[in-house]
């Protein structure tokens, strides 16, 4: 028996060895007296590598533990223990008919609380035992339910209570034996290996210092989006990478840390690449736990977009939009997933896999927010259609910011004069910024112009004013880029002309700079510049508001209607002011203003045809009216939610003007549309609750300050009205979680470019996702306690070192 225990201890110790390579020869230290194995094991083969994030969560689909290779079975158990039992919160469980009476029964969510070990498979509509799956002995199925609750699945819902109790059995049952195995397995101190390799208190304290220091360094690097590894991490390297360099910095500043690393076990230094990845995984796990705790059992919307990273991999970002306990809309980053192709079926499978990983049911989705790509918004085969087919309450909303950008792009080519204008803009930007020398000349000219204007008193000084800038290139996919380019050109007008004059004078050969100067100093160019600045100024304000995280669909619709009204007003009475601004600009810049009554040929026609119009008709009818009519038509076409019944009903929740839009019939209609969220009793009583609600909030002074649905929800939570009127608050929640734009996903892609750059282009997908979660959700990451990270790290797998008993 003693020989068997010693052999088993050696086997466990060999499996626990960290794959760290230490070049230095082991020196005498406190841990050398311990019977630890000092020989490093070779790296595992590719076939036996294990990814904890790739395990199958559904009990009906997963492999049995004994089917995995023996050398990774321990890691598989740890991965499942870390994630816990699969207990999805399904909105409506599948019902099964029993007996000749055709009565139907279904799985009950309340069993999760009564039996912590129970798992549910949506794929098989069956129940399983978590502990028996992890620790059952292969080939021993004589006990009731031993195989049923691990392989086949329990489906006799009619006799479920008796079946569960029979499976648990008495004190010495197989189920209770597996539960005891689980408790012993989680207590690493009680293992045979730990008993034989008992660490001293001093070595435990040193291990705690090393681990805590590694966690602190990892947290800093992840929060800043910095790289971990270095090209040469050997002891003689001048740059070992950020992680090891930070460890060395801590060692120079803290003698206790230096002593813990220098005297600690060489095979347990907690600095290897695998340790760094595991720490990142633990940090991401804790951030995700906070997101799931914040979400709870609430409904949510999904925001999805794809983008290519620096290594030419298509990455799909997924975010959740929901209402927190304070009544505030939040958007949280869920995952970044590499997809091999962007077909709707591939995106659907990837989304379902991510939701399944976090135990989120498809039935809880109440909104979808994507861009206008055909694979996303396709009416027949798009991702939104495939999800709606399974969940008809997951209403799709085309990103408002993308739609507005499509309006801007269409206006930029609304007529031939405006189209040519933007062609000249591209040439001006290219000529001015095509080389470093020209860019420097532009900045210097702008600097001198600002100094001259400050001396003349034309402008004043102030913090953040008159910053050095250049001409950005307008892009069809960059929100607000057209307005930014025109605004910079207007501000840097004299500097741009000076650079063009320099290029024409000192260029090696003929250039287009002289011709561009003639175009810029023409009245038509100045007129279209001021017209586009006015139109894009109106849409740019809306574009910035649409990128807010807390914007709701009701407010977005109202803002769009305000923009439409402003455009109509500008068309009716904006000509005189615009023409006056153009004349003032031309006078200040020595541009000749033509006689508006002068006759000129119709644009695109020869003088020989004799088709003539006045300058006034050309600029007013052929440019001014055409541009405004085009943008108004595009706004009506792109933003046509007025005919949408759901959004029209949600607009009745707007608290402005003392709830002037409130309509009981339309709001009661929402309870019929969202049939699954309201019971028959709810639909019968919602009208009376709505009438009582509107009567109270109109008399309540604090609700008079609410200016949108978001502030209304927060005020209801603050005054506890959400508990008094739960059905009304449910309607408000459904209105707020509907997505407006995918700006948050676009910000995630900006973070992706920071984390994965040219020097980090080979980072693997799992580590990349962990880093993205921590970096994107930095606010939540800062709230995570180091002890929670260390606790997860310790539970993940068996470790050679042990922490002091009172540390966790």
């Amino acid at each position: 028996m003693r020989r068997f225990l010693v052999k088993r201890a050696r086997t466990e110790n060999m499996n626990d060895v960290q794959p760290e390579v230490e070049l230095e020869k082991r020196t005498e230290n406190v841990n050398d007296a311990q019977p630890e194995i000092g020989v490093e094991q070779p790296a595992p083969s590719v076939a036996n590598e294990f990814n904890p994030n790739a395990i199958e969560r559904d009990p009906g689909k997963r492999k049995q533990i004994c089917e995995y290779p023996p050398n990774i079975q321990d890691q598989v158990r740890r991965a499942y223990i870390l994630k816990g039992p699969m207990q999805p919160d399904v909105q409506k469980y599948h019902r099964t008919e029993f007996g000749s009476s055709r009565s139907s029964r279904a799985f009950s969510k309340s069993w999760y609380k009564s039996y912590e070990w129970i798992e549910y498979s949506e794929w098989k509509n069956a129940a399983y035992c978590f502990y028996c799956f992890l620790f059952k002995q292969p080939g021993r199925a004589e006990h009731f339910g031993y195989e049923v609750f691990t392989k086949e699945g329990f489906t006799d819902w009619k006799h479920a209570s008796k079946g569960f109790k029979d499976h648990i059995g008495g004190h010495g049952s197989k189920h209770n034996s597996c539960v005891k195995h689980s408790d012993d397995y989680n207590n690493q101190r009680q293992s045979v290996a730990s008993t034989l390799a008992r660490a001293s208190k001093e070595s435990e304290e040193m291990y705690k210092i090393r681990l805590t220091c590694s966690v602190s360094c990892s947290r800093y690097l992840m929060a800043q989006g910095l790289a971990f590894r270095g090209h040469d991490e050997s002891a003689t390297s001048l740059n070992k990478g950020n992680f090891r360099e930070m460890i060395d910095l801590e060692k120079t500043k803290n003698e206790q840390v230096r002593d813990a690393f220098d005297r600690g076990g060489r095979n347990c230094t907690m600095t290897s690449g695998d340790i760094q990845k595991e720490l990142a995984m633990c940090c991401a796990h804790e951030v995700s736990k906070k997101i799931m705790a914040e979400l709870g059992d609430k409904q949510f919307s999904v925001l999805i977009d794809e983008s290519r990273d620096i290594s030419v991999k298509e990455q799909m970002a997924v975010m959740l939009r929901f209402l927190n306990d304070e009544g505030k809309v939040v958007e949280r980053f869920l995952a970044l997933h590499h997809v091999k192709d962007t077909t709707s079926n591939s995106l659907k499978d990837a989304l379902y896999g991510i939701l399944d990983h976090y135990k989120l049911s498809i039935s809880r989705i109440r909104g979808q927010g994507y861009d206008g790509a055909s694979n996303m918004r396709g009416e027949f085969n798009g991702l939104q259609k495939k999800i709606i087919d399974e969940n008809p309450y997951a209403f799709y909303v085309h990103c408002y910011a993308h739609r507005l950008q499509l309006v801007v792009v269409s206006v930029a080519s609304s007529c031939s004069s405006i189209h040519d204008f933007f062609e000249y803009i591209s040439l001006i930007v290219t000529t001015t910024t095509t080389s470093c020398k020209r860019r420097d000349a532009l900045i210097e000219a702008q600097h001198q112009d600002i100094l001259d204007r400050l001396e003349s008193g034309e402008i004043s000084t102030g913090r953040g004013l008159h910053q050095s800038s250049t001409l950005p290139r307008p892009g069809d996919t960059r929100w607000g880029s057209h307005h930014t380019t025109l605004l910079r050109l207007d501000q840097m007008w004299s500097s741009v002309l000076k650079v063009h004059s320099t290029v024409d004078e000192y260029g090696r050969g003929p250039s287009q700079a002289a011709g561009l100067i003639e175009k810029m100093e023409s009245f038509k160019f100045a007129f279209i510049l001021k017209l586009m600045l006015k139109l894009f100024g109106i849409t740019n304000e809306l574009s910035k508001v649409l990128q807010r995280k807390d914007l709701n669909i009701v407010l977005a619709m109202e803002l769009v209607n305000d923009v439409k009204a402003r455009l109509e007003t500008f068309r009716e009475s904006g000509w005189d002011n615009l023409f006056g601004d153009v004349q003032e600009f031309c006078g200040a810049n020595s541009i000749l203003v033509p006689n508006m009554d002068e006759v000129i040929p119709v644009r695109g026609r020869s003088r020989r045809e004799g088709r003539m119009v006045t300058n006034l008709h050309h600029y007013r009818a052929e440019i001014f009216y055409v541009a405004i009519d085009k943008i108004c038509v595009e706004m009506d076409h792109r933003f046509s939610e007025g005919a949408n019944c759901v959004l029209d009903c949600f607009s009745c929740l707007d608290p402005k003007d003392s709830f002037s839009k409130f309509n009981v019939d339309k709001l009661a209609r929402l309870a019929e549309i969202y049939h699954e969220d309201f019971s028959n009793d709810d639909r019968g009583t919602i009208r009376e609750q709505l009438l009582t609600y509107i009567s109270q909030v109109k008399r309540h002074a604090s609700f008079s300050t609410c200016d949108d649905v978001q502030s209304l929800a927060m005020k209801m939570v603050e005054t506890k009205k959400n508990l008094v009127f739960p059905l009304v608050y449910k309607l408000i929640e459904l209105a707020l979680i509907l997505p407006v734009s995918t700006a948050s996903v676009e910000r995630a892609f900006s973070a992706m470019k920071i984390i994965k750059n040219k020097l980090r282009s080979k980072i693997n997908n799992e580590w990349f996702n962990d880093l993205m979660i921590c970096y994107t959700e930095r606010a939540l990451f800062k709230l995570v306690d180091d002890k929670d990270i260390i606790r997860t790290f310790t539970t993940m797998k068996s470790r050679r070192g042990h922490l002091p008993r009172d540390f966790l």
Side-chain angles (χ1 to χ4, degrees):
M1 183 65 181
R2 176 180 178 82
R3 184 182 304 170
F4 171 73
L5 291 176
V6 172
K7 183 177 180 180
R8 181 179 174 186
R10 289 176 178 172
T11 303
E12 291 186 21
N13 279 332
M14 290 293 288
N15 288 337
D16 290 343
V17 173
Q18 300 292 334
E20 300 184 11
V21 179
E22 299 290 346
L23 300 180
E24 302 89 341
K25 185 177 180 182
R26 290 191 65 179
T27 57
E28 291 186 359
N29 54 65
V30 175
N31 290 337
D32 284 345
Q34 301 172 22
E36 295 185 354
I37 305 300
V39 181
E40 299 292 344
Q41 294 298 308
S45 63
V46 177
N48 290 332
E49 286 185 351
F50 174 68
N51 177 15
N53 293 321
I55 61 175
E56 176 59 57
R57 299 286 290 123
D58 192 293
K61 297 180 181 179
R62 65 192 177 194
K63 295 194 301 184
Q64 299 297 301
I65 298 294
C66 60
E67 297 177 13
Y68 286 92
N71 60 324
I72 66 171
Q73 288 182 8
D74 178 74
Q75 300 179 52
V76 175
R77 286 193 180 93
R78 291 285 179 191
Y80 275 108
I81 290 174
L82 188 63
K83 295 182 183 298
M86 182 61 177
Q87 298 178 342
D89 185 8
V90 181
Q91 194 74 15
K92 187 176 181 180
Y93 293 93
H94 179 74
R95 303 188 70 84
T96 306
E97 295 182 351
F98 292 92
S100 57
S101 61
R102 313 293 290 177
S103 61
S104 60
R105 302 291 179 89
F107 182 87
S108 175
K109 186 167 58 176
S110 61
W111 292 336
Y112 291 149
K113 296 182 179 179
S114 303
Y115 308 98
E116 62 173 356
W117 49 265
I118 201 168
E119 295 184 288
Y120 178 73
S121 169
E122 293 185 74
W123 185 63
K124 275 192 174 183
N125 184 32
Y128 293 81
C129 178
F130 183 61
Y131 297 121
C132 291
F133 160 71
L134 291 175
F135 297 101
K136 75 169 186 177
Q137 298 297 319
R140 303 183 64 180
E142 67 275 7
H143 184 67
F144 175 81
Y146 205 52
E147 287 293 322
V148 172
F149 280 87
T150 55
K151 280 188 177 182
E152 302 168 9
F154 181 85
T155 58
D156 188 6
W157 312 129
K158 188 175 182 180
H159 306 95
S161 298
K162 181 178 183 302
F164 294 157
K165 292 178 181 178
D166 290 343
H167 172 70
I168 295 173
H171 178 71
S173 68
K174 297 298 180 183
H175 169 82
N176 287 322
S177 177
C178 291
V179 174
K180 186 176 184 301
H181 280 312
S182 176
D183 295 337
D184 294 340
Y185 189 79
N186 289 329
N187 188 359
Q188 297 183 24
R189 289 180 171 275
Q190 301 302 319
S191 64
V192 177
S194 298
T195 303
L196 296 179
R198 183 69 65 188
S200 65
K201 289 184 178 181
E202 187 178 4
S203 65
E204 289 179 352
E205 189 65 28
M206 288 185 177
Y207 176 73
K208 183 196 77 171
I209 294 173
R210 292 195 300 271
L211 180 55
T212 304
C213 183
S214 296
V215 170
S216 299
C217 295
S218 298
R219 293 191 64 160
Y220 177 81
L221 294 175
M222 283 186 285
Q224 299 301 319
L226 299 176
F228 277 64
R229 309 297 298 277
H231 177 68
D232 181 9
E233 296 185 349
S234 63
T236 58
S237 174
L238 297 178
N239 186 357
K240 305 173 187 176
N242 291 331
F243 182 82
R244 288 181 179 265
E245 289 293 338
M246 287 189 68
I247 294 291
D248 290 344
L249 179 63
E250 290 294 324
K251 289 165 64 176
T252 59
K253 293 168 57 179
N254 191 319
E255 184 178 354
Q256 197 175 23
V257 174
R258 181 174 65 252
D259 185 61
F261 277 97
D262 292 345
R263 299 176 61 201
R266 295 297 180 181
N267 54 3
C268 192
T269 58
M270 313 309 293
T271 59
S272 71
D274 289 339
I275 292 295
Q276 296 171 30
K277 292 179 181 179
E278 289 173 3
L279 289 175
M281 184 187 301
C282 295
C283 292
H285 176 76
E286 291 302 319
V287 174
S288 299
K289 276 177 61 177
K290 284 191 172 295
I291 295 175
M292 292 300 105
E294 187 178 24
L295 174 62
D297 58 354
K298 308 180 189 73
Q299 276 91 9
F300 58 88
S301 293
V302 291
L303 307 175
I304 302 176
D305 203 354
E306 321 98 46
S307 180
R308 185 176 296 181
D309 63 22
I310 192 67
S311 59
V312 199
K313 287 184 177 181
E314 198 71 32
Q315 303 286 356
M316 183 183 78
V318 181
M319 301 195 75
L320 300 183
R321 178 184 174 96
F322 56 91
L323 209 64
N324 64 12
D325 294 334
E326 299 175 358
K328 186 178 180 181
V329 174
V330 292
E331 293 179 355
R332 297 298 187 192
F333 183 82
L334 189 64
L336 187 75
H337 185 79
H338 169 54
V339 289
K340 295 183 178 179
D341 58 73
T342 57
T343 61
S344 57
N345 285 326
S346 298
L347 297 178
K348 175 190 170 184
D349 293 340
L351 173 62
Y352 281 22
I354 292 171
L355 295 179
D356 179 65
H357 175 77
Y358 290 101
K359 304 179 185 179
L360 298 176
S361 174
I362 304 299
S363 61
R364 292 171 60 184
I365 299 179
R366 289 297 177 268
Q368 308 174 65
Y370 317 131
D371 58 16
S374 59
N375 62 334
M376 307 294 279
R377 64 169 297 186
E379 185 178 354
F380 301 104
N381 293 311
L383 175 62
Q384 63 94 10
K385 181 63 168 62
K386 293 182 180 297
I387 294 180
I388 286 179
D389 287 342
E390 297 187 21
N391 179 8
Y393 309 103
F395 294 104
Y396 166 67
V397 178
H398 183 188
C399 171
Y400 271 49
H402 278 90
R403 281 192 263 182
L404 187 62
Q405 182 64 19
L406 292 175
V407 172
V408 171
V409 172
S410 65
V411 173
S413 58
S414 57
C415 66
S416 58
S417 296
I418 296 178
H419 179 269
D420 291 347
F421 169 79
F422 280 101
E423 291 293 328
Y424 293 134
I425 290 294
S426 297
L427 292 175
I428 290 170
V429 173
T430 301
T431 305
T432 309
T433 62
T434 189
S435 67
C436 299
K437 185 177 180 180
R438 296 180 185 181
R439 188 183 292 266
D440 292 341
L442 176 64
I443 295 175
E444 183 179 353
Q446 181 199 11
H447 178 70
Q448 186 60 44
D449 180 60
I450 291 174
L451 291 179
D452 295 340
R453 294 167 68 186
L454 285 172
E455 290 181 1
S456 64
E458 184 180 348
I459 58 177
S460 59
T461 60
R463 184 173 183 178
L465 299 178
H466 318 306
Q467 296 292 317
S468 176
S469 59
T470 185
L471 281 179
R473 185 175 301 278
D476 291 348
T477 58
R478 297 193 192 103
W479 298 342
S481 60
H482 288 76
H483 180 259
T484 302
T485 301
L486 299 184
L487 191 61
R488 295 274 181 86
L489 179 60
D490 183 49
Q491 296 170 348
M492 305 168 64
W493 184 267
S494 60
S495 302
V496 172
L497 287 174
K498 185 176 181 179
V499 172
H500 278 73
S501 299
T502 304
V503 171
D504 180 67
E505 182 178 356
Y506 298 103
R508 295 182 179 179
S511 69
Q512 57 191 1
L516 292 175
I517 293 176
E518 293 180 3
K519 289 296 180 182
M520 288 180 63
E521 293 188 331
S522 66
F523 178 80
K524 177 178 285 188
F525 189 94
F527 177 82
I528 298 178
L529 173 64
K530 290 298 181 180
L531 174 61
M532 292 296 104
L533 277 174
K534 182 64 176 178
L535 293 179
F536 291 166
I538 295 174
T539 59
N540 192 61
E541 292 178 8
L542 176 61
S543 178
K544 290 181 178 180
V545 175
L546 291 177
Q547 297 175 41
R548 286 169 39 191
K549 290 183 179 181
D550 59 346
L551 187 66
N552 59 80
I553 195 73
V554 176
L555 180 58
M557 292 170 58
E558 184 177 347
L559 292 172
V560 170
N561 292 332
D562 290 342
V563 168
K564 292 179 181 179
R566 288 184 63 187
L567 292 172
E568 289 291 341
T569 303
F570 182 57
R571 188 187 191 282
E572 296 298 328
S573 59
W575 166 260
D576 292 335
N577 291 333
L578 175 66
F579 190 73
D581 292 342
V582 176
Q583 285 182 315
E584 182 181 352
F585 178 81
C586 292
N589 293 282
S590 303
I591 299 175
L592 182 63
V593 179
N595 182 3
M596 290 293 106
D597 295 328
E598 183 181 349
V599 177
I600 60 173
V602 174
R603 180 175 174 82
R605 295 290 183 269
S606 171
R607 286 181 179 272
R608 300 172 58 184
E609 297 183 20
R611 299 179 59 181
M612 312 294 283
V613 295
T614 62
N615 277 320
L616 180 62
H617 179 275
H618 172 65
Y619 287 106
R620 187 169 187 174
E622 296 181 359
I623 298 179
F624 180 75
Y625 285 148
V626 168
I628 298 180
D629 290 344
K630 179 66 175 179
I631 196 171
C632 289
V633 169
E634 286 292 324
M635 289 290 292
D636 289 336
H637 171 65
R638 300 288 180 184
F639 299 94
S640 56
E641 274 81 359
N644 189 305
C645 176
V646 176
L647 299 184
D648 182 51
C649 294
F650 278 137
S651 65
C652 298
L653 294 168
D654 194 349
K656 284 185 178 179
D657 301 327
S658 188
F659 297 87
S660 59
K661 296 182 179 179
F662 193 83
N663 188 306
V664 174
D665 294 332
K666 289 184 177 181
L667 293 175
R669 171 66 179 152
L670 286 173
E672 299 292 337
I673 295 174
Y674 288 93
H675 186 81
E676 287 293 326
D677 295 320
F678 298 89
S679 65
N680 292 330
D681 293 339
D682 293 339
R683 289 191 290 274
T685 60
I686 191 170
R687 288 179 178 272
E688 294 299 326
Q689 189 171 126
L690 284 168
L691 291 172
T692 307
Y693 158 79
I694 193 62
S695 176
Q696 285 200 21
V697 295
K698 281 187 175 182
R699 290 186 288 105
H700 207 293
S702 61
F703 283 89
S704 61
T705 59
C706 297
D707 55 359
D708 61 0
V709 183
Q710 171 71 91
S711 59
L712 175 63
M714 297 177 67
K715 184 62 68 175
M716 288 192 69
V717 174
E718 180 184 337
T719 58
K720 307 298 183 182
K721 296 292 184 182
N722 60 319
L723 304 178
V724 180
F725 305 107
L727 301 182
V728 179
Y729 187 75
K730 185 65 178 179
L731 293 177
I732 295 175
E733 179 184 4
L734 293 172
L736 289 176
I737 64 176
L738 273 180
V740 177
S741 75
T742 58
S744 297
V745 187
E746 299 295 342
R747 295 187 188 98
F749 289 142
S750 298
M752 179 181 74
K753 294 177 181 179
I754 294 174
I755 295 175
K756 192 171 185 179
N757 49 43
K758 289 183 179 180
L759 296 179
R760 307 175 71 187
S761 59
K762 294 184 179 180
I763 185 173
N764 65 52
N765 296 326
E766 291 76 20
W767 196 15
F768 190 20
N769 176 60
D770 295 335
L771 297 177
M772 278 289 296
I773 291 175
C774 296
Y775 183 78
T776 308
E777 296 294 341
R778 292 189 294 277
L780 288 180
F781 187 31
K782 290 182 179 180
L783 300 178
V784 175
D785 190 3
D786 283 353
K787 289 188 176 181
D788 293 330
I789 298 173
I790 294 174
R791 186 179 292 107
T792 303
F793 177 80
T794 305
T795 308
M796 182 182 296
K797 59 190 293 187
S798 299
R799 306 289 178 185
R800 293 189 60 81
H802 297 287
L803 295 166
R805 293 180 180 272
D806 57 348
F807 180 65
L808 298 178

